[in-house]
Amino acid sequence: MKTSFQNIKGTFDILPEETVSDGTTIAGTEAWLFVESTIREVMGRFNFQEIRTPILEPTELIARGVGQLTDIVSKEMFAFERGDTHYVLRPEVTAPVMRAYLQHHLGQKGGVQKLFYIGPCFRAERPQKGRYRQFHQFGCEVIGSGDVRADAEVIALMTAIYRAFGIVDTKLRLNTLGDEQSRPRYREALRAYLAPYVNELSPTSRQRLEANPLRILDTKDEKERRLLEGAPILIEYIDEASRAQYEELKALLSDLDIRYEEDPFLVRGLDYYTRTAFELESAHVGAQSALAGGGRYDLLAQEIGSKEPVPSVGFAAGMERLFLALAAEGTPLPQPKAPDVFLVALGDEAVRWTFSEAQRLREAGLRVAYDLKGRSMKAQMREANRQNAPVTVIVGKDELASERAQVKIMASGEQVEIAIQDLIAYLKGL
Ligand code: AMP
């Protein structure tokens, strides 16, 4: 019988210390907290508010929102049923945020909702470096604005976050997908162009040719890429308003000195995008180089039941990819916290005293550790060292009698005697 368990493939534990799991380095908890708080800080500067939605969502929301024909919905959902309810572990957060916006009538408050999120997502993909089955996304949504400045602001926010971490060696790819009227015309043109080559296409692309030919544009297959060199270009088919908006977006990005590359083949893997689409790539992250992506999704709200269109734009980014980029830059990250002080006790009486003294020091705001295994003084000192405690307070029978403790500064080995009643003030002054 199997007696030990391992985490599910494609998931990982975040431990206090950095760990290596399936050949990938997973940062420790303090590093995650630091990265999350930096993200929150930058989101705050752009005046976004945090939203937290459930991990479980109705399967139909994701199927309709993300699109039946996408890889996410057709192949990668962790979905199950209980009774009459169909549940899915959310594979992304945009559709859930839009659901919450509609459900709570956030649009009735007037104005534009600017929301951000950080949390786990789930996709049944083939796990590899930078690609997991449970991963973490952060992202933002500007809901209720069709103004192209919202698109520019979302891109500015996304780039500001990576800049805050010193990740500047990135490439921003930009495209416009036009509106719902122009896209069918392009779809037909692309289909007509590819039809004579149908036998040279991969089975996946052949399927897509019928259902969703735009997705062929982001193929990684070299042969297909060569075939596409002469393909019609989306921008030549799109409507005047989308084109004008795209020009305006590029001008706004230039105003902010945000460099971009236009990529007419950028389509993104989710069906809800209209007009603006973008992706941020790292120069260093290798095969899984997409750090973040997003775009405008003016049709999503109606797709999931809104009577009114709700023009919106956002981005989503992978936390694990951000950590890969940080590792590639050699950025130092916070390590597990050391205690401010380690109490070392000699003899039963002192052990008893340490227990309540720890509480007194903790109430004064200090981070306090002591031995919980009943070990010798030497072993207690070793433990204090292992935990990187900068100071130990050593107390035995004599110290208790005189109400004075031995305080040892670990780095220098210097030892001083301090009255126990002055201990808090002394430790805080160090
Ligand atoms: P998407 O919505 O698919 O464009 O995903 C947005 C971002 O999430 C990507 O650019 C990646 O950084 C990250 N991401 C998506 N899928 C995964 C995954 N399976 N594992 C890790 N990160 C992912």
Side-chain angles (χ1 to χ4, degrees), residues 41-108:
E41 192 270 316
V42 183
M43 295 280 192
R45 274 194 263 150
F46 282 72
N47 195 33
F48 280 71
Q49 308 278 354
E50 184 162 353
I51 180 170
R52 300 187 188 191
T53 59
I55 301 296
L56 285 177
E57 288 286 353
T59 308
E60 190 62 18
L61 167 72
I62 302 299
R64 294 236 303 264
V66 177
Q68 291 285 0
L69 299 172
T70 59
D71 285 351
I72 294 178
V73 171
S74 62
K75 296 193 269 197
E76 298 168 359
M77 286 201 297
F78 283 107
F80 60 97
E81 281 169 52
R82 277 181 82 89
D84 293 338
T85 311
H86 295 250
Y87 301 85
V88 64
L89 300 181
R90 66 181 188 193
E92 59 96 61
V93 195
T94 300
V97 169
M98 184 57 93
R99 174 198 53 69
Y101 172 92
L102 296 172
Q103 179 178 337
H104 301 286
H105 309 290
L106 299 184
Q108 283 176 8

Side-chain angles (χ1 to χ4, degrees), residues 202-349:
S202 67
T204 317
S205 291
R206 229 173 287 160
Q207 261 176 357
R208 286 179 172 162
L209 188 61
E210 274 319 302
N212 194 0
L214 262 69
R215 291 295 317 283
I216 301 175
L217 294 179
D218 66 1
T219 176
K220 302 283 177 284
D221 182 310
E222 272 309 313
K223 204 171 107 201
E224 291 185 348
R225 276 180 181 264
R226 274 199 302 280
L227 268 182
L228 285 168
E229 273 165 20
I233 299 292
L234 211 153
I235 191 123
E236 287 164 11
Y237 287 75
I238 68 170
D239 58 296
E240 206 35 62
S242 294
R243 201 186 304 225
Q245 210 182 52
Y246 186 52
E247 290 306 316
E248 177 70 10
L249 173 61
K250 289 190 286 179
L252 289 171
L253 293 178
S254 298
D255 283 354
L256 300 180
D257 285 330
I258 295 174
R259 269 200 287 274
Y260 57 84
E261 254 173 49
E262 290 180 74
D263 180 353
F265 288 169
L266 174 71
V267 287
R268 312 258 315 120
L270 300 86
D271 275 358
Y272 48 57
Y273 290 109
T274 46
R275 294 191 171 168
T276 308
F278 56 85
E279 257 178 32
L280 190 72
E281 274 175 25
S282 159
H284 300 296
V285 175
Q288 307 300 332
S289 63
L291 293 173
R296 180 161 276 288
Y297 50 94
D298 292 349
L299 303 179
L300 172 62
Q302 284 161 299
E303 214 59 70
I304 62 171
S306 169
K307 288 193 184 64
E308 305 295 324
V310 184
S312 305
V313 56
F315 80 82
M319 289 283 277
E320 291 77 9
R321 307 272 175 97
L322 171 56
F323 277 112
L324 284 176
L326 286 169
E329 301 264 347
T331 310
L333 291 169
Q335 298 298 311
K337 283 204 174 78
D340 297 320
V341 56
F342 194 103
L343 306 181
V344 174
L346 272 149
D348 291 348
E349 213 184 323

